[in-house]
Amino acid sequence: MKTLCMMLLAAPPQVQFTDVTEGTGVEFVSEGGVGNQLIVDTMGSGLGLVDLDGDGDLDLYLLTGSRVEPYEDGEAPPRNRLYRNDGELRFTDVSAGSGMDLTGWSMGCAFADYDADGDLDAYLTRMGSNALLRNEGGLRFVDVTAAAGADDPRWSAGCSFFDADGDGALDLYVVNYVDFEGRLARHGGDWNHEDFRQFRQLPHYFDPVPNTLLRNRGDGTFEDVTEEAGVADSTGRGLGVVTCDLDQDGDQDFYVANDTTANSLFLNEGSGVFEEVGAEWMVAYNGSGKPEGSMGVAWGDVDADGQWDLLVTNFDNEQNTLYRNAGYGYFEDGTGAAGLREPTREAVGWGVGLFDHDNDGDLDAFFANGHVVTSVPLFMIRHLLPESRLPGVLESEHFGAWPRSRTARPSVRASRCEPVRACRCARCARATATSARIH
C-alpha cells in the first residue's frame, strides 16, 4: 500500500503596525519653508530615538525646519522638541530648559559619548552652523560647539560618530550637501530672480561642498583632519552616511550617499587615513553605471553570507539600490534579484532601515518615501494614483532570492563608534511607507 504524505506549510504571519501617537503625549509637526519652493523647503528633518537620561528606555528627539525669510516680531519660530519616555508609551515634553529646543534648520542628528563621561551627547547637522550639545545629566544639555571646535557652517545633512584612527576616542564625520547660500548670493539674495527661480529645486544647479572629518583629541575638543585623511569628497552632494567595517579588517570604514553624483566608499587604511574606492568596489553607481539621486543608506547582512551589504534610497524612476557584497573587494547590484526594482521605482526614497520586523531571522527593509514635486496634480498623477504607492505595506516575493546559507542569522550590528544612528526619515508631510520582506 502506498501512502501519500502531504506537508502543509503555514504562511508566515502578517505583522501589523498601529499608529498609537494619539494619547502618547507626543504632539509635533516638523515645519519647513512653504510657498518659496526652494530646494531647502523640500528637505525635511530627522529624529533620534535614544536613552538620554540613562533610565533604560528610549527618549524621542524630533527636529524641525524653518524658513528663509526672517520671522516677524512676536512670531515664534518652530523649535526642536525633546520628549522624555515615561514608560508604557507615554512621553512628556521636556524641551523647555533642556538646551535641545533649537530653532533654525535642523537636518539630522547623531548621539554618542564623545567626551567619555558616561552619557550620550548630541550632534546636530543644520543649514548654517551645526551644534554639539554636551549631556550634563538630568536631560540638560549645553551647546559646546565653538569651544569644542566642532562647527561646520555649511549646509550639513548626515553625520556619524566613529573611531576613525583607532585611538579609542570617537571622531565625527559630517556630510555636507550643496552651497545654497552661495548660489543665492550670486543673485543678490533674490530667490525670485529669473535665473534662480527656474532651477531653485534642482540639486544640479548648486555646487557641492566638501565634507568634514573632525578628529577627537580626547580632551573634549576636535580638530579638522579632512585633508590629511583624504575624505573631503568635494564633488559629492552628500546626504547620508553609515560607518561599519565593510572590508572586515578590524577598523571602521564609511559610505556616503550622494545626490545626483557618484556615491563614495572610504576604506580605512589605519591611523585615520582613508582611500576612496567607490567605483573600484562597484558601489559608486548603479548596475547601469549611472549615478543616482541617493539620499538614505543602511547596512546589514541581508543574504546571510557573512558580508555587509548596502541598501541605498534614490529618486523616483531610479529605484532603490541594493549593493550585495560578493567579497574580495567587489559588490554587485542585487536590486533586481532582490525584487526591489519595480516596488521602489515610482517613489522618491528618503530614509531606509534594515530590521527583522517579523522575527523570522531575516532582515526586512523599510523605506520612508516622500516627494519634491511642487505641482500637486503632477505628483498625484505620478505617485498617488498607482495602488502600489498608496500608504501601506508592500511585500516583495523575491527579496533575497540568491542562494545563501539558512544557518547563519543575518544581523544589523550597532557600530562600536555609532551607538545610535540618526534616522533621516519621512522628510515630507506626504510621506508614504513601503516595506519589503526578505524570504
Side-chain angles (χ1 to χ4, degrees), residues 175 239-244 246 254-258 263-264 294-300 309-314 321 323 349-354 367 418 421-424 427:
V175 173
L239 285 175
V241 58
V242 290
T243 57
C244 64
L246 271 174
F254 64 92
Y255 182 83
V256 180
N258 289 317
N263 297 332
S264 301
S294 300
M295 304 180 204
V297 56
W299 63 279
D309 310 299
L310 295 166
L311 183 58
V312 180
T313 56
N314 299 306
T321 302
Y323 295 102
W350 293 93
V352 55
L354 283 168
F367 302 106
E418 190 183 1
R421 288 195 294 266
C423 171
R424 295 194 53 76
R427 295 184 290 179

Side-chain angles (χ1 to χ4, degrees), residues 87-236:
E88 299 182 351
L89 289 177
R90 294 292 304 174
F91 291 83
T92 299
D93 187 342
V94 294
S95 307
S98 69
M100 299 281 276
D101 56 341
L102 278 65
T103 61
W105 291 96
S106 292
M107 297 291 165
C109 54
F111 300 86
D113 184 11
Y114 85 94
D115 54 1
D117 65 351
D119 47 30
L120 294 176
D121 311 294
Y123 190 81
L124 276 61
T125 55
R126 297 158 57 83
M127 191 179 78
S129 293
N130 294 339
L132 176 63
L133 305 176
R134 187 181 65 210
N135 193 334
E136 300 289 284
L139 292 177
R140 297 291 184 269
F141 291 78
V142 175
D143 188 335
V144 295
T145 314
D151 194 13
D152 193 322
R154 296 165 294 188
W155 183 358
S156 302
C159 61
S160 180
F161 285 101
F162 74 116
D163 187 1
D165 51 9
D167 65 353
L170 295 179
D171 310 302
L172 177 63
Y173 190 69
V174 179
V175 173
N176 293 317
Y177 189 40
V178 297
D179 187 9
F180 172 81
E181 294 180 338
R183 171 64 74 172
L184 185 59
R186 298 182 198 179
H187 305 291
D190 180 11
W191 54 76
N192 288 311
H193 189 282
E194 181 179 2
D195 292 335
F196 186 85
R197 185 175 64 246
Q198 347 177 35
F199 309 108
R200 56 190 171 186
Q201 285 187 322
L202 303 178
H204 315 71
Y205 183 63
F206 299 89
D207 294 330
V209 289
N211 301 332
T212 302
L213 176 61
L214 298 173
R215 177 182 174 272
N216 192 332
R217 293 190 178 103
D219 60 358
T221 65
F222 293 83
E223 61 177 328
D224 189 337
V225 294
T226 308
E227 295 302 323
E228 303 94 298
V231 295
D233 200 15
S234 57
T235 62

Side-chain angles (χ1 to χ4, degrees), residues 300-307 309 324-325 400 402-405 408 410 438:
D301 184 6
V302 302
D303 53 359
D305 65 351
Q307 306 280 347
D309 310 299
R324 178 177 174 266
N325 191 337
W402 45 77
R404 57 189 176 133
S405 167
I438 300 179

Side-chain angles (χ1 to χ4, degrees), residues 61-84:
Y61 187 48
L62 299 169
L63 308 183
T64 189
S66 186
R67 68 189 190 199
V68 176
E69 61 269 40
Y71 288 88
E72 301 292 336
D73 291 341
E75 187 179 8
R79 293 179 177 273
N80 299 340
R81 311 301 294 178
L82 175 60
Y83 287 88
R84 185 188 65 220

